[in-house]
């Protein structure tokens, strides 16, 4: 496995070097050099923000094709609850049934809702809150946020709740139940997440809290949207035979849904990766130390606002709420979730290690010298953070210079001053030469 697997990739031939992306990246993982963007893979958290803001569509998310399900004898679809909100026809009474049945008609042997995994996680998180002395505990559901903490706020890694993500729990339970019901070997079963975001793909290929993901692949909602739309209209795609998730699990698709599901009132939900980063700064600075739980989601509105969805996040949020109102709560689901929670299927044991991408040097004295050099450069740089140099801020440029990846002349203002100085020098030299010529005559 690669040390750094990334779903978010750059298509250089489409990049115009416009610098839109460098300003919106929460980990300053993008530079523009020689007229093209460059993604620093060790800093990238695959939040997909650059995909949203690029007007030339030069950033893309690499996910598994639908055809990859043929790698397994038995295939299980794991639909994100955000998938239900992508279709206008979901005002019908059989809305969720049609989606689940439609997925089976596309070639899957079974469908297991990620929302059911979310309900198990909700129980596990509620238990963690009862016994934890760390405040606030931070949700582990959004892989982009966990990676943001790993890169920018490593001191907060102990705050991340030791509960697996809903999709991982869903995959584990789905395989167990399918293998038992059909008397097949679990190794023959492939579980594929229908994902709204690239960060989920990254978490599958390079998991942070376990050696190997229980999910075997991630297929973009955008890829299945067209085919699934056709299946939803088919007469046979009406009822799904199986226990479906309740409002508590489906509500995780929206920002604040997790907090509602765990029943914690002294909690805060923040969406949008920039907002989450600012909130994490406040947590790091002990400004939210009285808070019990923090739910952070990289996408605006929650998972419904992912880069790989079809519908507007605002429309989707409204639809999710209506679906939750119609579906309601289910005591059977609550009891099943409680049982699985007690079995420990949602618990994670592996510690998440920090990523030292911000470290300037392994040698402490050298690192201190580089910090001093950065401060000296900051005195010379204009402090306008204009991005013309290809770095997101003057400080980022100063760091790049110290690391040997840029020069002072990459700053247009310093270059202008240098050119002005050289021009004045040339004028002085020319005047001196003319004066000498006159004296010789």
């Amino acid at each position: 496995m690669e040390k750094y697997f990334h779903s978010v990739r750059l298509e250089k031939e489409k990049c115009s070097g416009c610098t839109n992306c460098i300003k919106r990246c929460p980990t300053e993982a993008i530079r523009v050099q020689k007229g093209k963007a460059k993604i620093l893979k060790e800093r990238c958290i695959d939040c997909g923000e650059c995909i949203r803001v690029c007007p030339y569509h030069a950033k893309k998310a690499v996910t598994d094709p639908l055809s990859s399900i043929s790698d397994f004898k038995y295939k299980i679809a794991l639909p994100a609850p955000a998938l239900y909100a992508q279709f206008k026809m979901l005002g019908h009474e059989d809305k969720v049934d049609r989606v689940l049945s439609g997925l089976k008609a596309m070639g899957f042997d079974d469908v297991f809702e990620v929302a059911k995994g979310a309900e198990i996680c909700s129980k596990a998180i509620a238990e963690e809150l009862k016994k934890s002395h760390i405040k606030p505990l931070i949700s582990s559901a959004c892989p982009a946020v966990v990676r943001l903490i790993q890169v920018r706020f490593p001191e907060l890694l102990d705050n991340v709740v030791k509960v697996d993500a809903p999709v991982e729990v869903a995959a584990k339970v789905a395989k167990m139940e399918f293998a038992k019901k059909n008397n097949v070997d679990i190794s023959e079963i492939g579980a594929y997440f229908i994902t709204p975001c690239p960060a989920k793909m990254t978490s599958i290929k390079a998991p942070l809290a376990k050696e190997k993901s229980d999910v075997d692949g991630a297929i973009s909602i955008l890829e299945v949207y067209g085919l699934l739309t056709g299946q939803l209209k088919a007469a046979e795609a009406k009822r799904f035979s199986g226990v479906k998730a309740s409002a508590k699990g489906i509500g995780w698709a929206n920002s604040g849904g997790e907090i509602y599901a765990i029943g914690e009132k002294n909690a805060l939900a923040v969406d949008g990766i920039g907002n989450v980063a600012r909130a994490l700064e406040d947590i790091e600075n002990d400004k939210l130390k009285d808070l019990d739980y923090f739910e952070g989601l990289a996408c605006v509105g929650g998972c419904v606002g992912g880069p790989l969805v079809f519908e507007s996040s605002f429309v989707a949020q409204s639809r999710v709420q209506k679906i939750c109102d119609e579906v309601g709560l289910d005591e059977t689901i609550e009891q099943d979730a409680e049982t699985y929670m007690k079995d420990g299927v949602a618990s994670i044991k592996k510690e998440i290690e920090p990523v030292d991408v911000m470290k300037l040097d392994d040698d402490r004295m050298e690192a201190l010298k580089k910090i001093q050099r950065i401060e000296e450069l900051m005195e010379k740089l204009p402090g306008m953070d204009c991005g013309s140099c290809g770095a997101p801020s003057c400080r980022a440029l100063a760091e790049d210079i110290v690391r040997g990846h840029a020069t002072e002349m990459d700053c247009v203002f310093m270059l202008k001053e240098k050119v002005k100085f050289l021009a004045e020098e040339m004028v002085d030299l020319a005047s001196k030469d003319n004066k000498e010529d006159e004296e010789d005559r």
Side-chain angles (χ1 to χ4, degrees):
M1 185 184 294
E2 297 178 58
K3 185 178 181 182
Y4 298 108
F5 173 89
H6 291 290
S7 173
V8 175
R9 310 285 176 87
L10 172 73
E11 293 185 317
K12 280 193 174 182
E13 65 277 7
K14 293 182 180 179
C15 180
S16 70
C18 68
T19 74
N20 278 337
C21 55
I22 65 174
K23 289 289 186 180
R24 296 290 290 273
C25 179
T27 56
E28 298 186 338
I30 305 176
R31 301 290 187 272
V32 173
Q33 298 173 348
K34 298 179 180 178
K36 297 289 181 181
K38 177 184 178 182
I39 300 175
L40 308 179
K41 61 182 182 179
E42 64 273 15
R43 285 177 177 251
C44 177
I45 61 173
D46 292 284
C47 63
E49 194 64 21
C50 57
I51 296 176
R52 288 184 226 276
V53 302
C54 181
Y56 303 98
H57 307 290
K59 318 293 189 307
K60 67 175 183 178
V62 175
T63 53
D64 293 304
L66 182 59
S67 59
S68 65
I69 67 174
S70 61
D71 293 343
F72 290 87
K73 186 175 181 179
Y74 305 102
K75 307 97 176 170
I76 301 177
L78 305 171
L83 178 65
Y84 310 144
Q86 302 307 304
F87 305 97
K88 187 177 181 179
M89 55 76 61
L90 290 186
H92 294 298
E93 202 171 293
D94 57 359
K95 50 198 171 300
V96 176
D97 290 278
R98 281 180 173 266
V99 172
L100 302 181
S101 297
L103 287 168
K104 286 194 74 172
M106 286 169 55
F108 290 97
D109 297 293
D110 198 5
V111 182
F112 191 96
E113 296 176 85
V114 171
K116 289 168 70 175
E119 297 191 22
I120 298 170
C121 292
S122 300
K123 294 287 185 182
I125 294 167
E127 285 299 308
E128 287 290 315
L129 279 165
K130 289 178 184 177
K131 60 186 181 182
S132 177
H133 299 293
I134 298 175
K135 288 190 176 184
L137 283 180
I138 298 174
S139 170
S140 62
C142 179
V145 170
V146 176
R147 287 178 183 271
L148 175 65
I149 294 170
Q150 187 186 33
V151 172
R152 277 187 59 182
F153 306 98
E155 296 85 357
L156 297 179
L157 284 174
D158 288 339
N159 293 63
V160 178
V161 67
K162 301 297 187 291
V163 174
D164 218 344
V167 64
E168 293 288 339
V169 176
K172 188 184 297 183
V173 175
K175 288 180 179 181
M176 288 166 51
E177 290 188 355
F178 188 89
K180 184 178 179 181
K181 180 181 177 181
N182 297 280
N183 195 26
V184 300
D185 194 296
I186 204 165
S187 63
E188 297 180 301
I189 306 170
Y192 285 82
F193 182 45
I194 313 301
T195 181
C197 79
K200 291 290 197 300
M201 178 69 175
T202 300
S203 69
I204 292 166
K205 300 295 184 183
L208 293 176
K210 54 172 64 178
E211 294 300 325
K212 186 180 184 299
S213 173
D214 289 291
V215 188
D216 298 289
I219 302 168
S220 166
I221 284 179
L222 288 175
E223 179 167 351
V224 304
Y225 179 81
L227 183 57
L228 186 53
T229 299
Q231 295 294 341
L232 294 179
K233 296 175 182 177
E236 64 271 17
K238 290 184 177 180
R239 290 294 172 189
F240 177 76
S241 58
V243 180
K244 296 185 291 295
S246 74
K248 281 190 176 181
I250 294 173
W252 274 57
N254 283 350
S255 178
E258 180 183 352
I259 287 175
Y260 167 75
I262 65 177
E264 177 56 60
K265 293 183 178 179
N266 186 27
L268 175 67
V270 177
D271 59 303
I273 195 66
N275 295 330
V276 171
R278 287 187 285 275
L280 289 172
E281 286 177 0
D282 287 338
I283 292 174
E284 189 177 49
N285 294 326
D286 287 335
K287 293 182 179 180
L288 292 171
K289 60 184 178 181
D290 295 328
L291 198 67
D292 288 327
Y293 197 72
F294 176 75
E295 173 193 331
L297 294 167
C299 301
V300 174
C303 294
V304 290
L308 305 182
V309 300
F310 177 82
E311 192 56 88
S312 153
S313 66
F314 307 111
V315 173
Q317 283 180 75
S318 175
R319 287 178 183 167
V320 166
Q321 189 57 58
K322 288 177 182 177
I323 292 168
C324 289
D325 292 341
E326 292 179 18
V327 169
L329 303 178
D330 189 321
E331 288 186 11
T332 303
I333 293 292
E334 291 273 338
Q335 291 168 3
D336 289 346
E338 183 85 23
T339 301
Y340 276 115
M341 181 274 292
K342 289 179 178 177
D343 288 343
V345 297
S347 300
I348 55 176
K349 303 293 190 294
K350 183 183 175 184
E351 296 294 325
I352 302 172
E353 299 295 329
V355 176
D356 293 327
V357 298
M358 306 299 181
K359 187 166 63 175
L360 293 170
D361 202 286
D362 290 330
D363 184 277
R364 189 174 179 180
M365 291 306 296
E366 285 300 314
L368 288 171
K369 289 179 182 177
K370 288 180 178 180
I371 290 172
Q372 185 178 354
R373 174 62 178 148
I374 287 171
E375 296 304 323
E376 291 171 356
L377 285 167
M378 287 300 295
E379 292 292 325
K380 298 168 67 177
L381 292 167
M384 296 180 68
D385 297 340
C386 65
S388 298
C389 61
S393 65
C394 288
R395 187 165 194 88
L397 175 61
E399 287 184 19
D400 288 348
I401 293 170
V402 168
R403 293 178 189 272
H405 303 317
T407 69
E408 293 182 23
M409 293 304 100
D410 287 320
C411 173
V412 293
F413 296 96
M414 293 187 73
L415 177 62
K416 181 180 176 182
E417 289 298 315
K418 184 70 173 178
V419 170
K420 181 181 177 182
F421 173 77
L422 290 174
E424 290 173 350
E425 285 285 298
M426 290 178 68
V427 169
D428 289 343
L429 285 172
S431 299
K432 185 177 180 181
D433 288 343
N434 289 335
K435 186 176 181 181
E436 289 176 352
D437 288 343
E438 288 175 3
E439 288 177 353
D440 290 340
R441 287 198 295 268

